[in-house]
Amino acid sequence: MEGFGRAGTLPSAVCRARAQGRPPRPGVNRLRDFPAGSDLGRTTYVDAAEALGGKIHTGGVATDGSWLVRPTIIDGLALDAAPYCEEIFGPVCVVNRFATEEEVVHLANDTRYGLNAMLFTENLSRAHRVASRLRAGTVWVNCFFIRDLRTPFGGVGDSGVGREGGNFSREFFTEPKAVVMQIARS
């Protein structure tokens, strides 16, 4: 077995703030910083990775004042490090080694998030077996973000409630109501 990664996209909390707020307000050129009291203080997941013992293999945050986060691969983080545990919305992947299928399924499911998962294997039996055990709304096998709008989409845990897409949209975007009346019989 090669490696396991947690990937996502970078939330507004990831960029260091020069002027707090949301662009394009005058004077604001960065998105909001981490909340006050955050363990990471006024830094980013990517910037914090090395301080937390990780190694950035490629990518990183641009230093030219732009909002650019280059596609980034990080490894060597402790399993409880914020960049490893949090849902990062951006081109950031934190990878980890594993030895067994059992271990990688445990690592992948050891999160409160579950929007999607990606599984890369040449073994069709393994693909079905592992995909069925992953707690995620969508599992892509040997691909990413191939989507038919008629199929269900949505996460589990803190990554969402319900599904949208196809017939699932009707249920997701409507509120069933029960109306109960007692009618006097004459």
Side-chain angles (χ1 to χ4, degrees):
M1 307 258 169
E2 291 296 317
F4 156 73
R6 287 200 174 154
T9 50
L10 221 46
S12 60
V14 177
C15 293
R16 186 177 305 159
R18 289 191 185 158
Q20 298 258 339
R22 292 198 52 86
R25 291 185 186 148
V28 175
N29 58 5
R30 294 264 184 169
L31 298 174
R32 291 195 182 277
D33 200 5
F34 285 97
S38 165
D39 291 339
L40 295 177
R42 297 182 57 79
T43 188
T44 69
Y45 285 118
V46 174
D47 289 340
E50 289 180 315
L52 294 169
K55 179 178 179 186
I56 297 173
H57 290 276
T58 185
V61 179
T63 58
D64 62 1
S66 68
W67 308 330
L68 177 69
V69 176
R70 294 178 192 90
T72 303
I73 299 173
I74 304 167
D75 81 344
L77 287 172
L79 299 180
D80 62 351
Y84 184 83
C85 296
E86 297 296 321
E87 194 170 40
I88 302 177
F89 288 92
V92 179
C93 182
V94 179
V95 297
N96 193 359
R97 295 188 182 279
F98 63 92
T100 66
E101 202 174 283
E102 202 57 42
E103 182 183 6
V104 76
V105 169
H106 171 75
L107 288 169
N109 289 336
D110 188 24
T111 179
R112 62 184 211 250
Y113 304 106
L115 183 58
N116 64 64
M118 288 158 275
L119 169 63
F120 293 87
T121 181
E122 293 179 356
N123 184 315
L124 185 58
S125 294
R126 174 176 283 156
H128 283 287
R129 187 173 56 249
V130 173
S132 71
R133 295 177 60 205
L134 293 174
R135 286 193 313 262
T138 300
V139 178
W140 283 292
V141 179
N142 297 333
C143 62
F144 173 65
F145 211 63
I146 295 174
R147 179 141 186 256
D148 182 327
L149 296 178
R150 296 168 293 182
T151 61
F153 180 81
V156 298
D158 285 354
S159 289
V161 177
R163 297 289 177 272
E164 60 180 76
N167 290 333
F168 296 93
S169 294
R170 185 173 36 252
E171 298 299 322
F172 185 77
F173 291 108
T174 59
E175 292 273 339
K177 180 187 292 190
V179 178
V180 179
M181 293 182 207
Q182 182 173 3
I183 300 175
R185 297 179 188 208
S186 41

